[in-house]
Amino acid sequence: MADQLVQANLAGHDSHGVGMLPSYVDGVINDRLKINSHPSVVVDSGALLTLDGNAGYGQVNGFETMQMGIERAAIHGVAVVGLRNSYHIGRIGHWAEQCAASGYASMHLVNVIGHPPLVAAYGGAEARFGTNPFCAAVPGRDGRPGFLLDMATSIIAGGKARVAANKGEKVPPNTIIDIEGNLTDDPNAFWYTDPSGKRGGALVAFGDHKGSGLAIMCELLGAALLGGETAHPKNPRDGRIINSMLSVIIDPAALGNAEAYYDEIELFRDFVLDSQLRSDCAQILVPGQPEELARIERADGFEVDPVTLDQLKTSAERAGLTSAVFEDLVG
Ligand code: NAD
């Protein structure tokens, strides 16, 4: 678990890094997150696998599920792997990187349930699903990074709205819908709660009907298809963070010619990057490059802000560590 959280920080995604620990500790203490758990096999028919994550740590579930998928892809050329009912599996790119490190291309469609939905369907003003991430990666030659697209299907993450609200800042225009159904840049409109405790406001899916449609397909392909739960209110909402994920893992050598494939992606990358800039843009990057750049910039470590550090300390105490032990660990 530590490995994935720290790797998320190093890749520049602090929203999915060590700052997630307090919510995990909360999940353990409230018996929503099951510790010492491993995924159990629901379906095993060679290239097709469905695993149940038993609400255990997503980092254990994600790692073991990818390992099994990689082993199956090595035998069959492809593996279609469903992981349902896992506690939060964090940064999805991490799982694509695990596949890419073994030389496999992969696609991952994910839903997230258990807490109130955050994102409205296109045309709607009320949240109906989570920030359902979509991820796809193709490996580079000799384990080198190829391309990695790893994104939430909302324009901005819920966590970014919370940070902006705390700082008294605006979010980008038209990324939030208020309870009256109007687009706004006011983050408080997303975190609005009426006196009965009902949360109002919603995040806007990226790309109008297209992003909203992709989020819905993540819900259906990524969860319903595997026997996982979707975000409708008949499923439990006690604050847990449950992910289901459909992964398709492909051996490039099994579908085509691996050498030609590596040549193609390198030539294509050069062609994409070698372009005149749009007048309002300072650079061109391919998907996955921002994370590569963050890793270089953070090679010597990363800062943990004081608020997060304080939350980690409180969680450590809730989990039974003395402050002396905590101080000793963080140095
Ligand atoms: P983001 O917007 O920072 O990046 C999205 C993608 O775009 C990345 O592949 C990145 O490499 C690429 N990118 C970014 N800037 C670019 C540029 N200028 N040019 C070209 N490509 C660029 O990511 P996000 O949507 O905020 O998602 C953050 C993380 O949250 C992801 O790792 C995602 O897996 C994770 N997430 C997890 C859950 C969950 O329930 N487990 C839910 C939502 C999101």
Side-chain angles (χ1 to χ4, degrees):
M1 182 178 67
D3 185 43
Q4 194 217 20
L5 296 181
V6 171
Q7 290 288 345
N9 286 107
L10 291 174
H13 290 288
D14 293 339
S15 58
H16 287 71
V18 296
M20 284 304 301
L21 270 172
S23 68
Y24 297 168
V25 170
D26 197 62
V28 172
I29 288 172
N30 291 302
D31 203 27
R32 297 188 295 245
L33 199 179
K34 309 293 177 200
I35 60 171
N36 299 326
S37 167
H38 296 271
S40 42
V41 177
V42 181
V43 173
D44 181 352
S45 54
L48 275 179
L49 269 177
T50 302
L51 305 173
D52 194 299
N54 302 309
Y57 276 117
Q59 287 72 19
V60 176
N61 284 328
F63 179 79
E64 294 184 8
T65 301
M66 290 306 103
Q67 277 306 104
M68 289 177 79
I70 289 165
E71 283 163 19
R72 300 306 170 96
I75 299 167
H76 303 287
V78 64
V80 180
V81 189
L83 169 65
R84 70 188 195 199
N85 186 33
S86 174
Y87 214 84
H88 191 238
I89 54 177
R91 177 179 166 257
I92 309 305
H94 190 85
W95 310 123
E97 283 162 0
Q98 188 180 340
C99 297
S102 296
Y104 297 101
S106 63
M107 279 179 282
H108 310 261
L109 291 97
V110 181
N111 90 329
V112 49
I113 63 155
H115 51 62
L118 304 176
V119 185
Y122 182 63
E126 292 177 275
R128 286 291 177 265
F129 38 80
T131 53
N132 295 358
F134 172 80
C135 176
V138 292
R141 208 186 290 271
D142 303 325
R144 272 178 280 157
F147 293 69
L148 187 148
L149 176 67
D150 172 27
M151 56 177 215
T153 44
S154 52
I155 305 175
I156 60 160
K160 287 189 181 149
R162 186 181 55 242
V163 171
N166 290 348
K167 289 183 177 170
E169 292 173 356
K170 300 280 185 203
V171 292
N174 303 337
T175 53
I176 283 175
I177 309 164
D178 68 19
I179 46 158
E180 248 105 65
N182 299 313
L183 290 166
T184 176
D185 59 3
D186 176 7
N188 295 302
F190 175 56
W191 295 104
Y192 172 84
T193 308
D194 77 10
S196 73
K198 185 173 178 277
R199 241 226 24 242
L203 297 174
V204 179
F206 84 93
D208 295 338
H209 56 289
K210 300 181 185 181
S212 171
L214 182 59
I216 288 171
M217 293 318 291
C218 285
E219 194 81 12
L220 303 178
L221 289 166
L225 200 65
L226 333 167
E229 293 177 345
T230 63
H232 65 74
K234 286 186 180 163
N235 284 324
R237 282 187 191 161
D238 59 1
R240 66 184 68 205
I241 319 173
I242 294 292
N243 281 136
S244 290
M245 170 167 73
L246 176 72
S247 301
V248 182
I249 303 169
I250 305 167
D251 178 358
L255 263 189
N257 177 321
E259 275 313 303
Y261 153 79
Y262 291 127
D263 289 344
E264 280 296 318
I265 69 163
E266 283 170 14
L267 290 165
F268 180 68
R269 183 184 177 110
D270 293 345
F271 181 55
V272 169
L273 294 176
D274 179 24
S275 159
Q276 183 189 334
L277 291 177
R278 205 172 81 181
S279 59
D280 61 333
C281 290
Q283 62 178 348
I284 304 168
L285 299 171
V286 295
Q289 227 179 334
E291 288 75 12
E292 283 175 41
L293 294 171
R295 284 189 189 106
I296 294 167
E297 196 187 307
R298 296 183 170 194
D300 294 328
F302 56 90
E303 297 272 327
V304 177
D305 66 84
V307 176
T308 304
L309 204 58
D310 209 45
Q311 290 169 347
L312 289 173
K313 188 172 181 188
T314 306
S315 295
E317 283 164 8
R318 289 184 77 198
L321 287 186
T322 63
S323 42
V325 172
F326 178 81
E327 296 300 339
D328 197 34
L329 282 170
V330 299

